Amino acid sequence: MLLYVIVYDLPDNKRRQKIHDLLEGYGQWVQYSTFECWLSSDKYAELQKRLRCQLNLDEDSIRFYPLSRHTVAQVETWGIGPPLWKMPGSTIV
Amino acid sequence: MRALYVSEQGCYLSLNDQLVRVKRQETLYAEVQLPLLQMILIFGKSQVTTQVIRACLWRNIPIVYLSRMGYCYGRILPIERGYRQLARYQDDLTLSDRLQVAREIVCTKLRNSRTVLMRQHRRQPSSSLDLVIQSLAVLVEKVRQADNIPRIMGLEGAGAAQYFSAFGDCLSSDEFIFGDRSRRPPGNPVNALLSFGYQVLWNHLLALIEVHGLDPYVACLHEGHRSHAALASDLLEEFRAPFIDAFVMYLINRKMMDVRDDFVYHNGGCYLNDVGRVKYLKAFVKRMEETITDEFGESQPKWDLLNQQVKAFKQFVYDPVKQPYVAYQIR
């Protein structure tokens, strides 16, 4: 399980919204076009596969930064915005 | 195991792109990320839209329907889960393979029960507890030599009776009194806590058994028939004492449950009410999400131990000679 920072730049509004909605299923939206996701290797592969279907790589740009445990511990967040994403556990209603 | 437990009554689960929304009237209770989810448990009366059902079927996420006290009515599974290939291997298990697993499961169950009592004995020594601890050790030896299922079941029953007579002594509360184990229906709050816990764990095991493609109706110790997923009951045995009994002890001794506010009496039984159930589940899930270090030095949540045992059983089914089933034993 690694923390991935995923950032994207898409000119098309509709496509950007779709990518945003898809990523919301896998992690936390932290600021415009930036998500933090804790993913196992198979979930990461699944997400990339699903993203690949939505993107047009002639126009779009997307970057995936995996963080090692060592560097995750050194992450700093300043100012407003949510704290660093923790993998959520079970939900009880 | 990342699960969504819907214990609140009258909720409505709908799909919003990748998120499952749990609402009641206009109140949004939770938004859960569907791709990361492994199971949905609905306690009592809540509605699930076809969109959610379809998305779950697509992703192999079982939706389990339970009564408020945790009894499983049924579940929603994708059509390809037909227990085909592995079920054949399960049917091919010989009588002696089954006997060996039955013995292993009951031995470990008794050993785990014994360990739970021994931990308590270290905190608060008593001669009656000591006696039960000794006699459980004797029973373990007898089970190891038992050569048929009814005999194993008999010894298991004798062990459980001994164990539960000592279990009450481990509870340091004047309000939660435990005389003996009663079920269907549970007769008092302590039994209600035990029954509910076993049911929840049973359901998780059933879901895992199905996810791994095993046939839950073919088992080694318990008699399987169409209305009883006996394999879940088999695999539950080794987890009862460490995961539920010790947890119930902890809840009561730490005064986390309220004997007046958390229970409801009906139909001659005692059950957790809406408040008590949520309290119980929250504490239980927190405990199951705690990580422990396994024999390889890896840390992992307790949930994963269930998965490991189901996997171990699967490996045993593939090759009973080379990979005998080893039950989960606490240290």
Side-chain angles (χ1 to χ4, degrees):
Chain A
M1 196 89 84
L2 284 174
L3 181 75
Y4 293 88
V5 176
I6 301 177
V7 294
Y8 52 88
D9 195 359
L10 281 78
D12 183 81
N13 288 337
K14 209 172 141 196
R15 214 156 58 227
R16 191 165 58 239
Q17 186 60 45
K18 278 201 163 162
I19 298 296
H20 175 96
D21 291 345
L22 176 60
L23 283 165
E24 272 211 312
Y26 290 83
Q28 174 176 253
W29 183 48
V30 286
Q31 40 180 266
Y32 283 116
S33 307
T34 310
F35 275 82
E36 291 170 354
C37 311
W38 277 102
L39 299 171
S40 60
S41 53
D42 50 335
K43 284 290 161 198
Y44 182 53
E46 180 190 295
L47 172 62
Q48 287 202 321
K49 196 172 149 210
R50 294 179 72 182
L51 283 168
R52 190 64 195 81
C53 300
Q54 306 267 348
L55 292 163
N56 173 3
L57 294 185
D58 293 332
E59 287 183 14
D60 306 341
S61 155
I62 184 158
R63 288 160 186 259
F64 308 85
Y65 300 96
L67 301 187
S68 71
R69 286 196 189 279
H70 178 67
T71 43
V72 166
Q74 293 179 11
V75 168
E76 293 182 39
T77 57
W78 288 16
I80 54 166
L84 188 70
W85 175 239
K86 282 197 200 72
M87 175 77 181
S90 295
T91 309
I92 302 156
V93 172
Chain B
M1 186 121 190
R2 251 203 95 197
L4 168 62
Y5 300 81
V6 184
S7 162
E8 193 74 40
Q9 300 300 295
C11 285
Y12 180 81
L13 276 68
S14 61
L15 191 67
N16 186 308
D17 215 283
Q18 305 297 310
L19 303 172
V20 179
R21 279 201 173 146
V22 187
K23 281 174 100 173
R24 194 175 69 183
Q25 278 143 15
E26 290 312 304
T27 324
L28 181 65
Y29 279 102
E31 273 190 324
V32 183
Q33 293 163 309
L34 186 74
L36 304 179
L37 203 59
Q38 286 168 301
M39 182 174 181
I40 297 179
L41 297 97
I42 310 275
F43 294 84
K45 299 182 186 106
S46 283
Q47 314 305 320
V48 183
T49 63
T50 305
Q51 283 82 339
V52 173
I53 294 174
R54 200 162 54 181
C56 286
L57 289 174
W58 203 244
R59 306 191 139 266
N60 246 324
I61 302 167
I63 300 175
V64 186
Y65 285 95
L66 312 146
S67 75
R68 288 204 223 177
M69 71 151 294
Y71 174 77
C72 177
Y73 299 126
R75 61 258 187 248
I76 296 179
L77 292 169
I79 196 158
E80 81 249 31
R81 293 258 165 262
Y83 325 118
R84 285 167 306 219
Q85 181 212 1
L86 266 168
R88 264 206 309 279
Y89 285 93
Q90 279 173 274
D91 284 332
D92 287 347
L93 289 175
T94 64
L95 206 59
S96 89
D97 291 333
R98 284 171 210 257
L99 191 63
Q100 201 184 337
V101 172
R103 237 187 257 132
E104 165 70 11
I105 285 172
V106 174
C107 273
T108 311
K109 175 194 176 163
L110 293 174
R111 275 198 214 107
N112 285 348
S113 305
R114 187 167 171 266
T115 308
V116 168
L117 294 183
M118 273 161 66
R119 282 179 186 169
Q120 195 62 25
H121 187 60
R122 245 170 275 147
R123 265 172 243 144
Q124 235 176 11
S126 89
S127 57
S128 62
L129 212 53
D130 196 40
L131 206 66
V132 175
I133 289 168
Q134 285 176 32
S135 83
L136 283 177
V138 175
L139 283 169
V140 170
E141 275 315 302
K142 282 192 184 160
V143 173
R144 275 158 58 124
Q145 287 152 18
D147 55 4
N148 61 62
I149 301 279
R151 171 127 179 91
I152 293 174
M153 285 297 249
L155 291 165
E156 191 260 340
Q162 293 258 9
Y163 166 72
F164 280 117
S165 76
F167 182 78
D169 298 340
C170 301
L171 305 177
S172 60
S173 162
D174 303 332
E175 290 180 316
F176 286 91
I177 310 292
F178 182 80
D180 49 45
R181 176 93 182 102
S182 56
R183 55 202 192 107
R184 285 175 213 165
N188 56 40
V190 181
N191 277 300
L193 292 170
L194 291 172
S195 291
F196 185 73
Y198 298 149
Q199 289 284 3
V200 169
L201 210 53
W202 189 89
N203 284 298
H204 276 92
L205 283 166
L206 177 62
L208 286 169
I209 287 165
E210 281 170 335
V211 165
H212 281 280
L214 287 157
D215 182 348
Y217 298 92
V218 179
C220 295
L221 175 66
H222 293 87
E223 189 111 11
H225 48 78
R226 263 163 208 270
S227 60
H228 177 210
L231 185 53
S233 303
D234 273 16
L235 297 183
L236 178 64
E237 295 295 348
E238 60 209 71
F239 291 112
R240 282 176 192 263
F243 282 16
I244 304 299
D245 303 351
F247 171 65
V248 168
M249 227 185 260
Y250 159 88
L251 280 181
I252 292 173
N253 293 349
R254 297 282 174 94
K255 304 199 179 347
M256 291 169 75
M257 301 302 289
D258 192 305
V259 85
R260 273 169 297 277
D261 296 345
D262 295 341
F263 297 89
V264 58
Y265 290 86
H266 65 86
N267 298 341
C270 176
Y271 303 94
L272 279 159
N273 65 16
D274 293 1
V275 180
R277 200 166 52 243
V278 170
K279 238 193 227 180
Y280 187 103
L281 284 172
K282 282 202 168 133
F284 182 64
V285 164
K286 186 162 168 244
R287 208 170 148 104
M288 293 299 282
E289 283 174 356
E290 279 169 10
T291 53
I292 55 160
T293 313
D294 67 8
E295 54 189 310
F296 309 107
E298 297 258 336
S299 76
Q300 53 184 347
K302 278 193 190 151
W303 278 132
D304 206 56
L305 293 167
L306 302 183
N307 195 27
Q308 275 181 22
Q309 289 311 117
V310 176
K311 265 199 217 155
F313 190 82
K314 185 169 159 181
Q315 252 141 27
F316 156 76
V317 166
Y318 273 126
D319 193 349
V321 181
K322 280 208 197 105
Q323 318 235 32
Y325 179 72
V326 182
Y328 167 68
Q329 193 174 336
I330 46 168
R331 277 162 282 174

